[in-house]
Amino acid sequence: MKTSEIQHRADFSTIRYAQCWEDAALFARALEPSGRNCLSIGSAGDNSFALLALGANHVTAVEMNPAQTACIHLRAAAYQCLSHPEFLELLGSRPSSRRKELYGKCRTSLDVGTRHFWDAKPAAVADGIAGCGKFEHYFHLFRRFVLPLAHPRRRIAALLEPRDHPGRQEFYENQWNNRRWRAIFRIFFSRTLMGALGRDPEFFRYVDGSVADRILNRTRHALTALDPSQNPFLHWILTGTHGTALPVALEEQHFETIGRALRSGRFRVIAQPLERLLADEPERHYGAWNLSDIFEYMSPENTGSLLETIAASSHPGARLAYWNMLAPRSRPESLAHRLKPLDSLAAGLFHADRAFFYSRFVMEEVL
């Protein structure tokens, strides 16, 4: 049986990510998913559904954590049972006092295992299902207890107001980037606290250097080069809801498109490691791959081995997209005859990446 390297070292019994923290707005140009059969790392499901929104012919979401598959199945039901405003309320993107009722509308469409999973989590439902993961709880602690040590509420609200580029730079340097902000950031986003409260310590096995300093540099980019008022990830971190801008899969223009695709059977969830799926279905090939940041948790040797298997399971011209957070991973030279880096396009897209935790966006094309 094929298994994932990280599967043996980290706990996958709880919801780690109740929403996807990679920016699917990059996918249209990166993966060109329209008309393609796509494979997507499942996580909480958002970016797998985003591929349907962008015209994918079929999407396979693969996820080895049963708690994460429960997130995907509930979202799939919500797309088909709720209106768009109700959907946003259930997730927690918008305030609501009726989430128990909205969950009830979806409940009968769930399989027994998913129903039991969410029935046992009434508080998670009441608070919004996109906020109940370990990573989201980490940001909740930051928002409630840490950020107020550096900035009052009015300044946080001011950060999220629209400004031009010079205005954002001026605000950041003169109002936001104070000594206390830098100090608490380096402590809270250190390897130790992130491992204990946000991610599993094993996720940092292949990371060298200061975690906090790297993320702080990327945060500055998100607050100055990009527009914070249009960043749903930043809004959630700072306020606990999404702002006027939403992640791709949550946008109103895509809601009915995703619902129709789900009803027509163009989506499946595979509850097992990617390595096992590819071994079990050697005849199945894909034209686009959303690989999240899975290589972050793998040795260079295992990364190369999996990329070789992916290339063998791809149509010629298939696109791969994935992120490096802290551990540098990409196609090894031994696969130069199978995978072509698309570095220029990837760098241009990465400049506009609103999910600012990552150090690099990688794109490769199957030869």
Side-chain angles (χ1 to χ4, degrees), residues 15 103 107 110 112-126:
I15 299 174
Y103 169 65
R107 186 178 180 277
L110 301 174
V112 173
T114 302
R115 194 182 309 155
H116 287 169
F117 180 91
W118 288 108
D119 285 354
K121 292 178 169 50
V125 171

Side-chain angles (χ1 to χ4, degrees), residues 152-165:
R153 187 174 300 177
R154 66 181 180 277
R155 192 180 299 150
I156 296 169
L159 175 72
L160 298 173
E161 294 174 359
R163 292 181 178 82
D164 60 16
H165 186 210

Side-chain angles (χ1 to χ4, degrees), residues 82-90 94-95 98 102 252 255:
L82 302 179
S83 67
H84 182 251
E86 291 173 333
F87 178 73
L88 296 182
E89 287 183 51
L90 179 66
R94 299 288 183 265
R98 55 173 183 160
L102 296 177
E252 184 174 10
F255 184 74

Side-chain angles (χ1 to χ4, degrees), residues 277-295:
L277 171 65
L278 299 182
D280 287 351
E281 298 182 346
E283 75 291 343
R284 192 162 188 142
H285 289 69
Y286 300 91
W289 302 75
N290 161 37
L291 297 170
S292 183
D293 63 346
I294 61 170
F295 301 121

